[in-house]
Each structure stands twice: as C-alpha cells, then as structure tokens.
Amino acid sequence: KQEVTQIPAALSVPEGENLVLNCSFTDSAIYNLQWFRQDPGKGLTSLLLIQSSQREQTSGRLNASLDKSSGRSTLYIAASQPGDSATYLCGRGSEKLVFGKGTKLTVNP
Amino acid sequence: GAVVSQHPSWVICKSGTSVKIECRSLDFQATTMFWYRQFPKQSLMLMATSNEGSKATYEQGVEKDKFLINHASLTLSTLTVTSAHPEDSSFYICSANRDRGTREQYFGPGTRLTVT
C-alpha cells in the first residue's frame, strides 16, 4: 500500500529565507507527484505537477524535484514571503492521489 | 485555468438526515471525479472514484450505502451522506482531471459538513 510521508510537520521561518519541504513515498511505480497548497478551511491549490517521466518542475519561486529511485520529492521555496504561509501537501498517484499529512509553513514578517 | 466548484461550501444538519454535496467541473468535462474526506489536522483520504454513467468505486472501509455517489453528467458529481451521524462531520473535497495526458488533478474548494 502506497504511503506518503512529509517532513517536517511544521516549519516556521523568517521572511526572505529559502526553505525545503520534503515528501517521501514507499513505491517506485510510474506515478505523478503533485504539490499543493491548502489555506485554512479551503480546498487545495495545485502548485506543481511532476510527471513520472520528469525529474523537476519550476514555477516562479517554487521548484519541485522527483527522485523515484530514492522515493523522495522536495519542494524548494525561494525568498519566502508571509503570503506563503499555508499547509503544503504532496500527493502521489496516477489520478487518485495518496497524500501526506502536510507541512504547515509559517513565514514571519 | 481549470476550475472545480463545490456546493454548498458549508452545511449543518441534524443526525439522521441526509445531505447532498455537488461537485462541478466548470470549464471542462470530467468522466472521472474523486471524493476525499479530511478530518482536522489530518491528510486527505480518498473515499471513492465517481465514474460518469456507471457505478462509483469505493475505497476499502467506505460504506457505499451511506455515501451515495451519482455522476449523471460529464460536469457534475454528487455525494449524498445518508443518515448522517456526528462522526461524519468532516471536510469533503472533490477533484477532477482536466488533462488526460498529464492527469493533473484540480480540486474543489471543499464542503464543511457539521452534523449535530
């Protein structure tokens, strides 16, 4: 059974800092990995999708990598801002996704 | 971009009653939609796969007679929580895939259900 783990569970950083969020999964099957942002009481906003054949995706200050051999994905956020404060979830699967519990990020002004 | 909507955004109902939640794909057709449930401070757990024109596929441990799913059109899936109990109180979120190539999932804004 696919399991997805996210570390750390919570992270608090000062504004402007670069940071890395981690996502690990238990299988090396050909699945997508998708990073989302969730604000309190809200749905999920897709940030980056890494298809199984890809190793990396970038969007603005965000960069996500995928290493299937080690079962890991990282989300790199550059020059963090208070508006980046949210819970970040990674989901793995072909269509239906298995999610980690998320990393709650707080960026302090 | 792709937009998935849900209605209502929140609902309060009494124990024993039923409540229907709608999930719509606004600018694309979705033959498949997915229903998730999220308890406080927990991750999203897949409940079922909603298939247009056919029966839904439920995950292990999810009661199909309690959580009725109907996917009657290519843009609408409904989840009906029947005979609701307080333990059904949760955040219900749907998703749909717009691009069959990438299979990127787009999520709705969620529905907060509180059963009193």
PDB file of all heavy atoms in Angstrom, chain A residues 32 34 36 38 41-44 46 48-49 51 89 94-97 99-101, chain B residues 34 36 38 42-44 46 49 59 91 93 97 101-105 107-109:
ATOM      1  N   ASN A  32       2.531  10.134 -11.023  1.00  0.00           N
ATOM      2  CA  ASN A  32       2.798  11.559 -10.896  1.00  0.00           C
ATOM      3  C   ASN A  32       3.004  11.906  -9.428  1.00  0.00           C
ATOM      4  O   ASN A  32       2.596  11.179  -8.517  1.00  0.00           O
ATOM      5  CB  ASN A  32       1.601  12.367 -11.402  1.00  0.00           C
ATOM      6  CG  ASN A  32       1.422  12.279 -12.898  1.00  0.00           C
ATOM      7  OD1 ASN A  32       2.316  11.868 -13.630  1.00  0.00           O
ATOM      8  ND2 ASN A  32       0.244  12.660 -13.368  1.00  0.00           N
ATOM      9  N   GLN A  34       2.319  15.472  -7.167  1.00  0.00           N
ATOM     10  CA  GLN A  34       1.763  16.807  -7.272  1.00  0.00           C
ATOM     11  C   GLN A  34       1.872  17.512  -5.920  1.00  0.00           C
ATOM     12  O   GLN A  34       1.539  16.932  -4.877  1.00  0.00           O
ATOM     13  CB  GLN A  34       0.289  16.710  -7.720  1.00  0.00           C
ATOM     14  CG  GLN A  34      -0.271  17.932  -8.361  1.00  0.00           C
ATOM     15  CD  GLN A  34      -1.601  17.662  -9.091  1.00  0.00           C
ATOM     16  OE1 GLN A  34      -1.984  16.519  -9.343  1.00  0.00           O
ATOM     17  NE2 GLN A  34      -2.308  18.733  -9.407  1.00  0.00           N
ATOM     18  N   PHE A  36       0.644  20.675  -3.526  1.00  0.00           N
ATOM     19  CA  PHE A  36      -0.499  21.550  -3.355  1.00  0.00           C
ATOM     20  C   PHE A  36      -0.266  22.482  -2.177  1.00  0.00           C
ATOM     21  O   PHE A  36       0.502  22.189  -1.259  1.00  0.00           O
ATOM     22  CB  PHE A  36      -1.771  20.739  -3.049  1.00  0.00           C
ATOM     23  CG  PHE A  36      -2.182  19.798  -4.132  1.00  0.00           C
ATOM     24  CD1 PHE A  36      -1.684  18.505  -4.157  1.00  0.00           C
ATOM     25  CD2 PHE A  36      -3.072  20.187  -5.114  1.00  0.00           C
ATOM     26  CE1 PHE A  36      -2.071  17.611  -5.146  1.00  0.00           C
ATOM     27  CE2 PHE A  36      -3.467  19.301  -6.107  1.00  0.00           C
ATOM     28  CZ  PHE A  36      -2.965  18.016  -6.120  1.00  0.00           C
ATOM     29  N   GLN A  38      -2.676  24.403   0.782  1.00  0.00           N
ATOM     30  CA  GLN A  38      -4.008  24.475   1.372  1.00  0.00           C
ATOM     31  C   GLN A  38      -4.022  25.545   2.449  1.00  0.00           C
ATOM     32  O   GLN A  38      -3.278  25.455   3.433  1.00  0.00           O
ATOM     33  CB  GLN A  38      -4.434  23.118   1.965  1.00  0.00           C
ATOM     34  CG  GLN A  38      -5.869  23.121   2.491  1.00  0.00           C
ATOM     35  CD  GLN A  38      -6.322  21.770   2.996  1.00  0.00           C
ATOM     36  OE1 GLN A  38      -5.548  20.987   3.505  1.00  0.00           O
ATOM     37  NE2 GLN A  38      -7.620  21.492   2.851  1.00  0.00           N
ATOM     38  N   GLY A  41      -9.238  25.921   6.095  1.00  0.00           N
ATOM     39  CA  GLY A  41     -10.642  25.837   5.718  1.00  0.00           C
ATOM     40  C   GLY A  41     -10.911  25.890   4.232  1.00  0.00           C
ATOM     41  O   GLY A  41     -12.066  26.016   3.814  1.00  0.00           O
ATOM     42  N   LYS A  42      -9.866  25.784   3.452  1.00  0.00           N
ATOM     43  CA  LYS A  42     -10.015  25.891   1.993  1.00  0.00           C
ATOM     44  C   LYS A  42      -9.641  24.590   1.299  1.00  0.00           C
ATOM     45  O   LYS A  42      -9.124  23.657   1.917  1.00  0.00           O
ATOM     46  CB  LYS A  42      -9.126  27.025   1.458  1.00  0.00           C
ATOM     47  CG  LYS A  42      -9.354  28.371   2.109  1.00  0.00           C
ATOM     48  CD  LYS A  42     -10.732  28.907   1.808  1.00  0.00           C
ATOM     49  CE  LYS A  42     -10.907  30.305   2.385  1.00  0.00           C
ATOM     50  NZ  LYS A  42     -12.277  30.854   2.119  1.00  0.00           N
ATOM     51  N   GLY A  43      -9.903  24.573  -0.007  1.00  0.00           N
ATOM     52  CA  GLY A  43      -9.521  23.424  -0.809  1.00  0.00           C
ATOM     53  C   GLY A  43      -8.047  23.467  -1.156  1.00  0.00           C
ATOM     54  O   GLY A  43      -7.275  24.224  -0.571  1.00  0.00           O
ATOM     55  N   LEU A  44      -7.657  22.626  -2.113  1.00  0.00           N
ATOM     56  CA  LEU A  44      -6.258  22.527  -2.498  1.00  0.00           C
ATOM     57  C   LEU A  44      -5.988  23.310  -3.774  1.00  0.00           C
ATOM     58  O   LEU A  44      -6.759  23.215  -4.733  1.00  0.00           O
ATOM     59  CB  LEU A  44      -5.886  21.065  -2.725  1.00  0.00           C
ATOM     60  CG  LEU A  44      -5.467  20.239  -1.509  1.00  0.00           C
ATOM     61  CD1 LEU A  44      -6.603  20.102  -0.526  1.00  0.00           C
ATOM     62  CD2 LEU A  44      -4.958  18.892  -1.938  1.00  0.00           C
ATOM     63  N   SER A  46      -3.287  23.592  -6.737  1.00  0.00           N
ATOM     64  CA  SER A  46      -2.154  22.893  -7.335  1.00  0.00           C
ATOM     65  C   SER A  46      -0.998  23.853  -7.573  1.00  0.00           C
ATOM     66  O   SER A  46      -1.182  24.932  -8.140  1.00  0.00           O
ATOM     67  CB  SER A  46      -2.587  22.256  -8.660  1.00  0.00           C
ATOM     68  OG  SER A  46      -1.493  21.578  -9.257  1.00  0.00           O
ATOM     69  N   LEU A  48       2.584  22.496  -8.357  1.00  0.00           N
ATOM     70  CA  LEU A  48       3.458  21.902  -9.357  1.00  0.00           C
ATOM     71  C   LEU A  48       3.090  20.442  -9.538  1.00  0.00           C
ATOM     72  O   LEU A  48       2.787  19.746  -8.574  1.00  0.00           O
ATOM     73  CB  LEU A  48       4.932  22.001  -8.946  1.00  0.00           C
ATOM     74  CG  LEU A  48       5.564  23.399  -8.974  1.00  0.00           C
ATOM     75  CD1 LEU A  48       6.898  23.387  -8.246  1.00  0.00           C
ATOM     76  CD2 LEU A  48       5.749  23.868 -10.415  1.00  0.00           C
ATOM     77  N   LEU A  49       3.143  20.001 -10.771  1.00  0.00           N
ATOM     78  CA  LEU A  49       2.939  18.600 -11.105  1.00  0.00           C
ATOM     79  C   LEU A  49       4.213  18.068 -11.719  1.00  0.00           C
ATOM     80  O   LEU A  49       4.745  18.659 -12.665  1.00  0.00           O
ATOM     81  CB  LEU A  49       1.794  18.446 -12.099  1.00  0.00           C
ATOM     82  CG  LEU A  49       1.682  17.083 -12.787  1.00  0.00           C
ATOM     83  CD1 LEU A  49       1.231  16.028 -11.789  1.00  0.00           C
ATOM     84  CD2 LEU A  49       0.722  17.148 -13.974  1.00  0.00           C
ATOM     85  N   GLN A  51       5.415  14.846 -13.604  1.00  0.00           N
ATOM     86  CA  GLN A  51       5.001  13.577 -14.196  1.00  0.00           C
ATOM     87  C   GLN A  51       6.078  12.535 -13.954  1.00  0.00           C
ATOM     88  O   GLN A  51       7.236  12.871 -13.683  1.00  0.00           O
ATOM     89  CB  GLN A  51       4.733  13.759 -15.682  1.00  0.00           C
ATOM     90  CG  GLN A  51       3.583  14.715 -15.963  1.00  0.00           C
ATOM     91  CD  GLN A  51       3.342  14.881 -17.439  1.00  0.00           C
ATOM     92  OE1 GLN A  51       2.937  13.924 -18.113  1.00  0.00           O
ATOM     93  NE2 GLN A  51       3.585  16.060 -17.968  1.00  0.00           N
ATOM     94  N   LEU A  89       0.905  20.199   0.832  1.00  0.00           N
ATOM     95  CA  LEU A  89       0.640  18.766   0.731  1.00  0.00           C
ATOM     96  C   LEU A  89       1.259  18.209  -0.541  1.00  0.00           C
ATOM     97  O   LEU A  89       1.221  18.855  -1.592  1.00  0.00           O
ATOM     98  CB  LEU A  89      -0.874  18.506   0.688  1.00  0.00           C
ATOM     99  CG  LEU A  89      -1.674  18.846   1.954  1.00  0.00           C
ATOM    100  CD1 LEU A  89      -3.149  18.945   1.630  1.00  0.00           C
ATOM    101  CD2 LEU A  89      -1.445  17.799   3.016  1.00  0.00           C
ATOM    102  N   SER A  94      -1.674   8.183  -9.998  1.00  0.00           N
ATOM    103  CA  SER A  94      -1.902   8.420 -11.414  1.00  0.00           C
ATOM    104  C   SER A  94      -3.055   9.391 -11.612  1.00  0.00           C
ATOM    105  O   SER A  94      -2.976  10.322 -12.394  1.00  0.00           O
ATOM    106  CB  SER A  94      -2.185   7.105 -12.140  1.00  0.00           C
ATOM    107  OG  SER A  94      -3.305   6.456 -11.567  1.00  0.00           O
ATOM    108  N   GLU A  95      -4.140   9.177 -10.920  1.00  0.00           N
ATOM    109  CA  GLU A  95      -5.241  10.132 -10.910  1.00  0.00           C
ATOM    110  C   GLU A  95      -5.718  10.309  -9.473  1.00  0.00           C
ATOM    111  O   GLU A  95      -5.697  11.423  -8.942  1.00  0.00           O
ATOM    112  CB  GLU A  95      -6.398   9.669 -11.792  1.00  0.00           C
ATOM    113  CG  GLU A  95      -6.134   9.872 -13.273  1.00  0.00           C
ATOM    114  CD  GLU A  95      -7.369   9.634 -14.117  1.00  0.00           C
ATOM    115  OE1 GLU A  95      -7.900   8.497 -14.068  1.00  0.00           O
ATOM    116  OE2 GLU A  95      -7.800  10.554 -14.827  1.00  0.00           O
ATOM    117  N   LYS A  96      -6.142   9.219  -8.878  1.00  0.00           N
ATOM    118  CA  LYS A  96      -6.479   9.317  -7.461  1.00  0.00           C
ATOM    119  C   LYS A  96      -5.178   9.361  -6.684  1.00  0.00           C
ATOM    120  O   LYS A  96      -4.243   8.628  -6.967  1.00  0.00           O
ATOM    121  CB  LYS A  96      -7.350   8.148  -7.016  1.00  0.00           C
ATOM    122  CG  LYS A  96      -6.799   6.772  -7.322  1.00  0.00           C
ATOM    123  CD  LYS A  96      -7.814   5.715  -6.931  1.00  0.00           C
ATOM    124  CE  LYS A  96      -7.293   4.324  -7.195  1.00  0.00           C
ATOM    125  NZ  LYS A  96      -8.280   3.282  -6.830  1.00  0.00           N
ATOM    126  N   LEU A  97      -5.143  10.269  -5.731  1.00  0.00           N
ATOM    127  CA  LEU A  97      -3.877  10.567  -5.054  1.00  0.00           C
ATOM    128  C   LEU A  97      -3.858  10.064  -3.621  1.00  0.00           C
ATOM    129  O   LEU A  97      -4.875  10.061  -2.922  1.00  0.00           O
ATOM    130  CB  LEU A  97      -3.632  12.074  -5.070  1.00  0.00           C
ATOM    131  CG  LEU A  97      -3.538  12.728  -6.454  1.00  0.00           C
ATOM    132  CD1 LEU A  97      -3.345  14.232  -6.321  1.00  0.00           C
ATOM    133  CD2 LEU A  97      -2.399  12.126  -7.259  1.00  0.00           C
ATOM    134  N   PHE A  99      -2.064  11.118  -0.147  1.00  0.00           N
ATOM    135  CA  PHE A  99      -1.480  12.329   0.382  1.00  0.00           C
ATOM    136  C   PHE A  99      -0.675  12.094   1.641  1.00  0.00           C
ATOM    137  O   PHE A  99      -0.968  11.191   2.442  1.00  0.00           O
ATOM    138  CB  PHE A  99      -2.575  13.352   0.716  1.00  0.00           C
ATOM    139  CG  PHE A  99      -3.175  14.008  -0.485  1.00  0.00           C
ATOM    140  CD1 PHE A  99      -4.286  13.469  -1.105  1.00  0.00           C
ATOM    141  CD2 PHE A  99      -2.630  15.175  -0.996  1.00  0.00           C
ATOM    142  CE1 PHE A  99      -4.839  14.073  -2.228  1.00  0.00           C
ATOM    143  CE2 PHE A  99      -3.178  15.787  -2.107  1.00  0.00           C
ATOM    144  CZ  PHE A  99      -4.280  15.234  -2.719  1.00  0.00           C
ATOM    145  N   GLY A 100       0.332  12.948   1.832  1.00  0.00           N
ATOM    146  CA  GLY A 100       0.974  13.034   3.114  1.00  0.00           C
ATOM    147  C   GLY A 100       0.129  13.911   4.038  1.00  0.00           C
ATOM    148  O   GLY A 100      -0.889  14.487   3.609  1.00  0.00           O
ATOM    149  N   LYS A 101       0.556  14.028   5.287  1.00  0.00           N
ATOM    150  CA  LYS A 101      -0.208  14.826   6.250  1.00  0.00           C
ATOM    151  C   LYS A 101       0.063  16.313   6.123  1.00  0.00           C
ATOM    152  O   LYS A 101      -0.606  17.119   6.751  1.00  0.00           O
ATOM    153  CB  LYS A 101       0.088  14.358   7.673  1.00  0.00           C
ATOM    154  CG  LYS A 101      -0.469  12.992   7.989  1.00  0.00           C
ATOM    155  CD  LYS A 101      -0.289  12.652   9.462  1.00  0.00           C
ATOM    156  CE  LYS A 101      -0.947  11.314   9.774  1.00  0.00           C
ATOM    157  NZ  LYS A 101      -0.821  10.968  11.218  1.00  0.00           N
TER     158      LYS A 101
ATOM    159  N   PHE B  34     -13.139  12.490  -8.149  1.00  0.00           N
ATOM    160  CA  PHE B  34     -12.736  11.794  -6.933  1.00  0.00           C
ATOM    161  C   PHE B  34     -13.252  12.553  -5.710  1.00  0.00           C
ATOM    162  O   PHE B  34     -13.229  13.778  -5.673  1.00  0.00           O
ATOM    163  CB  PHE B  34     -11.203  11.680  -6.863  1.00  0.00           C
ATOM    164  CG  PHE B  34     -10.608  10.951  -8.035  1.00  0.00           C
ATOM    165  CD1 PHE B  34     -10.184  11.653  -9.145  1.00  0.00           C
ATOM    166  CD2 PHE B  34     -10.509   9.574  -8.027  1.00  0.00           C
ATOM    167  CE1 PHE B  34      -9.661  10.988 -10.247  1.00  0.00           C
ATOM    168  CE2 PHE B  34      -9.979   8.901  -9.119  1.00  0.00           C
ATOM    169  CZ  PHE B  34      -9.560   9.610 -10.230  1.00  0.00           C
ATOM    170  N   TYR B  36     -12.803  13.048  -1.615  1.00  0.00           N
ATOM    171  CA  TYR B  36     -11.900  12.865  -0.486  1.00  0.00           C
ATOM    172  C   TYR B  36     -12.582  13.402   0.771  1.00  0.00           C
ATOM    173  O   TYR B  36     -13.472  14.250   0.723  1.00  0.00           O
ATOM    174  CB  TYR B  36     -10.595  13.647  -0.696  1.00  0.00           C
ATOM    175  CG  TYR B  36      -9.724  13.169  -1.839  1.00  0.00           C
ATOM    176  CD1 TYR B  36      -9.993  13.555  -3.152  1.00  0.00           C
ATOM    177  CD2 TYR B  36      -8.626  12.352  -1.612  1.00  0.00           C
ATOM    178  CE1 TYR B  36      -9.189  13.134  -4.204  1.00  0.00           C
ATOM    179  CE2 TYR B  36      -7.813  11.930  -2.660  1.00  0.00           C
ATOM    180  CZ  TYR B  36      -8.104  12.325  -3.948  1.00  0.00           C
ATOM    181  OH  TYR B  36      -7.293  11.916  -4.980  1.00  0.00           O
ATOM    182  N   GLN B  38     -11.407  14.923   4.722  1.00  0.00           N
ATOM    183  CA  GLN B  38     -10.286  15.397   5.523  1.00  0.00           C
ATOM    184  C   GLN B  38     -10.772  15.742   6.915  1.00  0.00           C
ATOM    185  O   GLN B  38     -11.600  16.644   7.087  1.00  0.00           O
ATOM    186  CB  GLN B  38      -9.640  16.626   4.873  1.00  0.00           C
ATOM    187  CG  GLN B  38      -8.388  17.107   5.583  1.00  0.00           C
ATOM    188  CD  GLN B  38      -7.759  18.308   4.888  1.00  0.00           C
ATOM    189  OE1 GLN B  38      -8.467  19.149   4.328  1.00  0.00           O
ATOM    190  NE2 GLN B  38      -6.437  18.400   4.913  1.00  0.00           N
ATOM    191  N   GLN B  42      -5.603  16.311   9.727  1.00  0.00           N
ATOM    192  CA  GLN B  42      -5.276  15.048   9.069  1.00  0.00           C
ATOM    193  C   GLN B  42      -5.137  15.275   7.571  1.00  0.00           C
ATOM    194  O   GLN B  42      -5.490  16.333   7.051  1.00  0.00           O
ATOM    195  CB  GLN B  42      -6.362  14.007   9.347  1.00  0.00           C
ATOM    196  CG  GLN B  42      -6.500  13.635  10.804  1.00  0.00           C
ATOM    197  CD  GLN B  42      -5.276  12.955  11.342  1.00  0.00           C
ATOM    198  OE1 GLN B  42      -4.697  12.077  10.703  1.00  0.00           O
ATOM    199  NE2 GLN B  42      -4.851  13.362  12.529  1.00  0.00           N
ATOM    200  N   SER B  43      -4.637  14.253   6.919  1.00  0.00           N
ATOM    201  CA  SER B  43      -4.480  14.370   5.481  1.00  0.00           C
ATOM    202  C   SER B  43      -5.796  14.039   4.775  1.00  0.00           C
ATOM    203  O   SER B  43      -6.764  13.630   5.392  1.00  0.00           O
ATOM    204  CB  SER B  43      -3.389  13.420   5.012  1.00  0.00           C
ATOM    205  OG  SER B  43      -3.128  13.631   3.644  1.00  0.00           O
ATOM    206  N   LEU B  44      -5.800  14.232   3.495  1.00  0.00           N
ATOM    207  CA  LEU B  44      -6.970  13.858   2.702  1.00  0.00           C
ATOM    208  C   LEU B  44      -6.960  12.352   2.484  1.00  0.00           C
ATOM    209  O   LEU B  44      -5.933  11.760   2.160  1.00  0.00           O
ATOM    210  CB  LEU B  44      -6.944  14.531   1.331  1.00  0.00           C
ATOM    211  CG  LEU B  44      -7.422  15.957   1.241  1.00  0.00           C
ATOM    212  CD1 LEU B  44      -6.383  16.902   1.794  1.00  0.00           C
ATOM    213  CD2 LEU B  44      -7.740  16.334  -0.198  1.00  0.00           C
ATOM    214  N   LEU B  46      -8.885   9.353   0.280  1.00  0.00           N
ATOM    215  CA  LEU B  46      -9.787   9.082  -0.828  1.00  0.00           C
ATOM    216  C   LEU B  46     -10.952   8.221  -0.353  1.00  0.00           C
ATOM    217  O   LEU B  46     -10.754   7.207   0.305  1.00  0.00           O
ATOM    218  CB  LEU B  46      -9.030   8.372  -1.952  1.00  0.00           C
ATOM    219  CG  LEU B  46      -9.858   8.002  -3.179  1.00  0.00           C
ATOM    220  CD1 LEU B  46     -10.293   9.259  -3.924  1.00  0.00           C
ATOM    221  CD2 LEU B  46      -9.063   7.090  -4.107  1.00  0.00           C
ATOM    222  N   THR B  49     -14.153   6.838  -6.198  1.00  0.00           N
ATOM    223  CA  THR B  49     -13.992   7.346  -7.553  1.00  0.00           C
ATOM    224  C   THR B  49     -15.357   7.386  -8.205  1.00  0.00           C
ATOM    225  O   THR B  49     -16.054   6.357  -8.255  1.00  0.00           O
ATOM    226  CB  THR B  49     -13.054   6.426  -8.364  1.00  0.00           C
ATOM    227  OG1 THR B  49     -11.796   6.345  -7.703  1.00  0.00           O
ATOM    228  CG2 THR B  49     -12.858   6.966  -9.771  1.00  0.00           C
ATOM    229  N   GLU B  59     -13.420   3.094  -1.867  1.00  0.00           N
ATOM    230  CA  GLU B  59     -12.211   2.605  -1.206  1.00  0.00           C
ATOM    231  C   GLU B  59     -12.604   1.678  -0.043  1.00  0.00           C
ATOM    232  O   GLU B  59     -13.725   1.739   0.484  1.00  0.00           O
ATOM    233  CB  GLU B  59     -11.375   3.769  -0.704  1.00  0.00           C
ATOM    234  CG  GLU B  59     -10.839   4.647  -1.815  1.00  0.00           C
ATOM    235  CD  GLU B  59      -9.913   3.905  -2.765  1.00  0.00           C
ATOM    236  OE1 GLU B  59      -8.899   3.338  -2.293  1.00  0.00           O
ATOM    237  OE2 GLU B  59     -10.222   3.883  -3.976  1.00  0.00           O
ATOM    238  N   PHE B  91     -14.496  17.596   6.379  1.00  0.00           N
ATOM    239  CA  PHE B  91     -14.320  18.468   5.220  1.00  0.00           C
ATOM    240  C   PHE B  91     -14.272  17.554   3.997  1.00  0.00           C
ATOM    241  O   PHE B  91     -13.404  16.682   3.912  1.00  0.00           O
ATOM    242  CB  PHE B  91     -13.015  19.258   5.382  1.00  0.00           C
ATOM    243  CG  PHE B  91     -12.842  20.405   4.444  1.00  0.00           C
ATOM    244  CD1 PHE B  91     -13.813  21.385   4.329  1.00  0.00           C
ATOM    245  CD2 PHE B  91     -11.688  20.540   3.677  1.00  0.00           C
ATOM    246  CE1 PHE B  91     -13.648  22.467   3.472  1.00  0.00           C
ATOM    247  CE2 PHE B  91     -11.513  21.612   2.821  1.00  0.00           C
ATOM    248  CZ  PHE B  91     -12.487  22.573   2.725  1.00  0.00           C
ATOM    249  N   ILE B  93     -13.885  17.073  -0.040  1.00  0.00           N
ATOM    250  CA  ILE B  93     -13.295  17.760  -1.199  1.00  0.00           C
ATOM    251  C   ILE B  93     -13.344  16.837  -2.418  1.00  0.00           C
ATOM    252  O   ILE B  93     -13.074  15.636  -2.299  1.00  0.00           O
ATOM    253  CB  ILE B  93     -11.824  18.151  -0.946  1.00  0.00           C
ATOM    254  CG1 ILE B  93     -11.655  18.852   0.390  1.00  0.00           C
ATOM    255  CG2 ILE B  93     -11.306  19.048  -2.061  1.00  0.00           C
ATOM    256  CD1 ILE B  93     -10.211  19.204   0.706  1.00  0.00           C
ATOM    257  N   ASN B  97      -9.868  15.531 -13.207  1.00  0.00           N
ATOM    258  CA  ASN B  97      -8.710  15.577 -14.089  1.00  0.00           C
ATOM    259  C   ASN B  97      -9.132  16.222 -15.408  1.00  0.00           C
ATOM    260  O   ASN B  97     -10.020  15.719 -16.082  1.00  0.00           O
ATOM    261  CB  ASN B  97      -8.210  14.157 -14.321  1.00  0.00           C
ATOM    262  CG  ASN B  97      -7.251  14.063 -15.487  1.00  0.00           C
ATOM    263  OD1 ASN B  97      -6.560  15.020 -15.795  1.00  0.00           O
ATOM    264  ND2 ASN B  97      -7.244  12.929 -16.147  1.00  0.00           N
ATOM    265  N   GLY B 101      -3.677  13.693 -20.608  1.00  0.00           N
ATOM    266  CA  GLY B 101      -2.258  13.417 -20.815  1.00  0.00           C
ATOM    267  C   GLY B 101      -1.470  13.504 -19.522  1.00  0.00           C
ATOM    268  O   GLY B 101      -0.792  12.562 -19.134  1.00  0.00           O
ATOM    269  N   THR B 102      -1.568  14.645 -18.844  1.00  0.00           N
ATOM    270  CA  THR B 102      -0.784  14.831 -17.620  1.00  0.00           C
ATOM    271  C   THR B 102      -1.475  14.240 -16.402  1.00  0.00           C
ATOM    272  O   THR B 102      -0.825  13.901 -15.434  1.00  0.00           O
ATOM    273  CB  THR B 102      -0.535  16.323 -17.348  1.00  0.00           C
ATOM    274  OG1 THR B 102      -1.780  16.961 -17.052  1.00  0.00           O
ATOM    275  CG2 THR B 102       0.115  16.989 -18.545  1.00  0.00           C
ATOM    276  N   ARG B 103      -2.810  14.148 -16.454  1.00  0.00           N
ATOM    277  CA  ARG B 103      -3.605  13.675 -15.316  1.00  0.00           C
ATOM    278  C   ARG B 103      -3.475  14.569 -14.102  1.00  0.00           C
ATOM    279  O   ARG B 103      -3.650  14.115 -12.968  1.00  0.00           O
ATOM    280  CB  ARG B 103      -3.247  12.233 -14.961  1.00  0.00           C
ATOM    281  CG  ARG B 103      -3.492  11.247 -16.092  1.00  0.00           C
ATOM    282  CD  ARG B 103      -3.200   9.836 -15.671  1.00  0.00           C
ATOM    283  NE  ARG B 103      -3.527   8.900 -16.730  1.00  0.00           N
ATOM    284  CZ  ARG B 103      -3.378   7.585 -16.613  1.00  0.00           C
ATOM    285  NH1 ARG B 103      -2.933   7.058 -15.502  1.00  0.00           N
ATOM    286  NH2 ARG B 103      -3.678   6.791 -17.622  1.00  0.00           N
ATOM    287  N   GLU B 104      -3.198  15.838 -14.334  1.00  0.00           N
ATOM    288  CA  GLU B 104      -3.108  16.765 -13.214  1.00  0.00           C
ATOM    289  C   GLU B 104      -4.480  16.906 -12.574  1.00  0.00           C
ATOM    290  O   GLU B 104      -5.490  17.069 -13.258  1.00  0.00           O
ATOM    291  CB  GLU B 104      -2.611  18.128 -13.686  1.00  0.00           C
ATOM    292  CG  GLU B 104      -2.458  19.131 -12.552  1.00  0.00           C
ATOM    293  CD  GLU B 104      -1.772  20.407 -13.003  1.00  0.00           C
ATOM    294  OE1 GLU B 104      -1.518  20.558 -14.216  1.00  0.00           O
ATOM    295  OE2 GLU B 104      -1.487  21.262 -12.145  1.00  0.00           O
ATOM    296  N   GLN B 105      -4.500  16.854 -11.261  1.00  0.00           N
ATOM    297  CA  GLN B 105      -5.759  16.924 -10.527  1.00  0.00           C
ATOM    298  C   GLN B 105      -6.066  18.356 -10.104  1.00  0.00           C
ATOM    299  O   GLN B 105      -5.202  19.080  -9.605  1.00  0.00           O
ATOM    300  CB  GLN B 105      -5.697  16.038  -9.282  1.00  0.00           C
ATOM    301  CG  GLN B 105      -5.652  14.557  -9.582  1.00  0.00           C
ATOM    302  CD  GLN B 105      -6.880  14.095 -10.333  1.00  0.00           C
ATOM    303  OE1 GLN B 105      -8.006  14.258  -9.892  1.00  0.00           O
ATOM    304  NE2 GLN B 105      -6.670  13.520 -11.514  1.00  0.00           N
ATOM    305  N   PHE B 107      -8.697  20.524  -7.672  1.00  0.00           N
ATOM    306  CA  PHE B 107      -9.556  20.295  -6.524  1.00  0.00           C
ATOM    307  C   PHE B 107     -10.584  21.407  -6.354  1.00  0.00           C
ATOM    308  O   PHE B 107     -10.318  22.577  -6.665  1.00  0.00           O
ATOM    309  CB  PHE B 107      -8.717  20.194  -5.250  1.00  0.00           C
ATOM    310  CG  PHE B 107      -8.061  18.852  -5.093  1.00  0.00           C
ATOM    311  CD1 PHE B 107      -6.935  18.529  -5.838  1.00  0.00           C
ATOM    312  CD2 PHE B 107      -8.584  17.908  -4.226  1.00  0.00           C
ATOM    313  CE1 PHE B 107      -6.336  17.273  -5.711  1.00  0.00           C
ATOM    314  CE2 PHE B 107      -7.997  16.662  -4.088  1.00  0.00           C
ATOM    315  CZ  PHE B 107      -6.873  16.350  -4.827  1.00  0.00           C
ATOM    316  N   GLY B 108     -11.740  21.020  -5.826  1.00  0.00           N
ATOM    317  CA  GLY B 108     -12.751  21.991  -5.471  1.00  0.00           C
ATOM    318  C   GLY B 108     -12.392  22.671  -4.160  1.00  0.00           C
ATOM    319  O   GLY B 108     -11.431  22.287  -3.490  1.00  0.00           O
ATOM    320  N   PRO B 109     -13.167  23.678  -3.764  1.00  0.00           N
ATOM    321  CA  PRO B 109     -12.882  24.431  -2.543  1.00  0.00           C
ATOM    322  C   PRO B 109     -13.293  23.712  -1.270  1.00  0.00           C
ATOM    323  O   PRO B 109     -12.987  24.190  -0.183  1.00  0.00           O
ATOM    324  CB  PRO B 109     -13.696  25.718  -2.728  1.00  0.00           C
ATOM    325  CG  PRO B 109     -14.838  25.293  -3.595  1.00  0.00           C
ATOM    326  CD  PRO B 109     -14.281  24.260  -4.522  1.00  0.00           C
TER     327      PRO B 109
END
